Structures are given as structure tokens and as C-alpha cells.
Amino acid sequence: MIGFVAVAAVFAALFGLGVLRDRRRFSNAVYLGLAVSFLGLGLLAGIDEAPHGVAETVMVVGLLVLALGPVALAGLLCANGVKMVRKEGRRPANLLSLLAGLGILAMMGLMAAAFATGSKPLGIVVATLLMILGYVSFLFLCFIGYAFLYGRMRIRRDADFVVVLGSGLIGGRRVPPLLASRLERGREVYETLARRREVDRTPVLITSGGQGPDEQLPESHAMAAYLVERGFPAERIVREDRSRTTEENLLFSRDLMEAERPGAECVIVTNNFHAFRAALMARKAGVNGQVVGSPTAAYFWPSATIREFAAVFLEYKAVNLGICGSLVLLGALALAFAG
């Protein structure tokens, strides 16, 4: 028990140092996940010393979670996937929660088949898939846990710019609810900053978004018009209208900020499910600022979160695909020896 707790303390210290150094690092999420995991192992190792009945209760709860958890999760993901398709359409990105739920059910079916048939090759395949799924699931939980914490960390209140990231327009010219949520959050952040600044250092709000092939005007112009129509001072808005991706949103906005106030700090606004990944991208782009999120409809979260995680997972593909490939190789060797 003491050994596990000591290792957990080491990873907790690395997590704390990482956050102090730069909270926009995925390694912080991994350190947090490892600290929690080893702490949990330590508690389990010492469960024999717990009061009478505690060990039995933990065992029963653990078995129930292992038995019913995957079924419940698969059902919830499938139900959410159907709702997502009905509300948002059948685009591939909207199918992710449904596909994840079906994938869990398929994995459970393979496990049942391996157990029922007693096939050693099938058992090795299932074991290999479970190891890969375990690795990916661990990273996914790290991502979700730290993204939750990141969204609740306080930001500095002396930033010079507020950057609102764009998204697609309805009918090629109207701001959709998702983007309106970002703009309202951006206004709140701007007003908070403005109350704490001198008149000659009033912050500037940058609307960031270019014109897509199916849009009648740049997203940044529609965003600026939305704010001005609702009383926001037009002279405090700068339009970044060249970007087509989030990376370009950040790079081109950085250029505008550096041209006006070199070394200035900013607050970047996007939807809450996108905040942590946007923070990782901002660090990579050399943008001096943190990210805050705006509210998003609950049904949108599962598919959006899976999409965000997949993008981060592939951002570190050399490591992640290397580990997954190694697990596949181990499984292939086991199959070869079994044959």
C-alpha cells in the first residue's frame, strides 16, 4: 500500500509542477491520471485493514460496475447517438457516440464468443483488443478529467485581447446558437476585463473566422455584426477574416495581437467541450493566453468530446500508435506461439 501511495505522490507532484509551468500540456492530464490510478491501487491494497464489511461492499460494488457498467455505457452512447443524428444530421462527426456504443457491444460479443467456444486464438485476439482498449480508455479518462479541471481554473484578469473562435454560419450568413454562445461568453469576459483596466488600456475583442465555400461572408464579420446589434462597441472589435481552421484562427489572431501590442496576453473563447484542445493548440501556436469555454447543449457533449479526444490522440500519434502497434505485435506473437 505504501509503495503505491508513494508513487501516486510522485505523480501528483509532477502534476502540480506541470500546471505551474504551463497548464496547457497534455502531460498534466497523464500525470493526474497516473496519480489517481496509483492512489486507487494503494487503497485497494490496504482494504484488508478496513473496518468489517467495507471490503465486501467494495467487492460487490466493483463487480456490479464491471458487469453492468459497460452495458449501461453502451446503451447511453447509442441513445445519445440516435438523438444526435436526429438533431444535427448524419455527418460522420455526429455518429461518434453511436459508433462508440456499438463498438462496446461488439467487444462484449467477442468476449462472450471467446468464453463460449473456448477458442485460444480468439481469446488472444480479445485479450489484445482489451489491452488496446484499456490504454485508449485510460488516456480518454485522463483527457476528460483534466479538461474538467482546466475549465475551472482561474484566468488572469489583465489580458489585452479576447479572441472568439468562429464556426459555421446558418444559411451562409447567420450566427448559429453554438457560435452565439461563444460570443456571449466573449462579451462577458471582455466586460470583466474592461472593468479592471484603465480607459487607455481597454481590451480589444477579436472575432476570428474566414469565409467558407458555402458562406456568403466571413464568419468574423457575421460575429461582429451579432455583437454590434446587441450594443457592443464596434470600435473595440477587430475582425480576423482569413482563417479556415482552429489552427489558423490562433495563428492569424496572434499576428494581429502582436502587430498592435507585442507580448500582449489574451483570453480565447470557444465552446466548453473544445476548450482544453484549443488550449493545447494555442500553446503549440505560441499564443500567450488561456482558453475559456461557453455552455453547450448536453446532448452535444458525447460525440464532441470523443472527436476532441481523437484529435488529441492523433496529435501524439508517434507515441500512441507506437504503443498500440506494440500491443498488436505482442498479440500476433502470442498467436504464432499458440499455433
Side-chain angles (χ1 to χ4, degrees), residues 144-265:
I144 292 176
Y146 188 67
F148 177 83
L149 288 179
Y150 180 87
R152 282 151 185 78
M153 292 181 184
R154 296 188 65 181
I155 60 173
R156 293 184 61 182
R157 300 298 185 182
D158 57 351
D160 292 294
F161 294 91
V162 179
V163 181
V164 183
L165 304 184
S167 68
L169 302 176
I170 297 177
R173 62 181 307 108
R174 289 189 297 113
V175 170
L178 197 74
L179 184 53
S181 174
R182 297 183 186 184
L183 291 166
E184 294 299 336
R185 181 73 168 111
R187 178 208 290 268
E188 291 176 8
V189 174
Y190 173 90
E191 291 174 349
T192 298
L193 295 174
R195 285 195 295 268
R196 300 174 178 232
R197 305 296 297 273
E198 299 175 1
V199 175
D200 61 342
R201 295 289 291 178
T202 302
V204 173
L205 189 146
I206 298 177
T207 54
S208 180
Q211 184 172 350
D214 59 344
E215 294 174 336
Q216 300 173 29
L217 74 166
E219 294 165 6
S220 59
H221 292 206
M223 294 160 69
Y226 175 95
L227 289 170
V228 171
E229 288 171 3
R230 287 157 180 78
F232 194 91
E235 68 276 9
R236 305 312 303 168
I237 298 176
V238 172
R239 298 164 178 79
E240 182 287 296
D241 56 10
R242 296 185 295 152
S243 57
R244 298 292 185 88
T245 64
T246 301
E247 290 89 347
E248 290 183 352
N249 286 144
L250 296 167
L251 289 171
F252 296 155
S253 296
R254 181 199 65 188
D255 293 342
L256 291 174
M257 291 185 285
E258 286 295 315
E260 184 167 342
R261 300 179 189 177
E265 186 173 352

Side-chain angles (χ1 to χ4, degrees), residues 34-77:
L34 289 170
V36 172
S37 298
F38 277 101
L39 179 60
L41 290 172
L43 293 175
L44 286 175
I47 198 169
D48 291 338
E49 302 174 7
H52 179 70
V54 173
E56 292 79 3
T57 302
V58 171
M59 182 69 72
V60 171
V61 171
L63 290 174
L64 286 174
V65 170
L66 289 174
L68 302 179
V71 178
L73 178 61
L76 290 172
L77 287 171

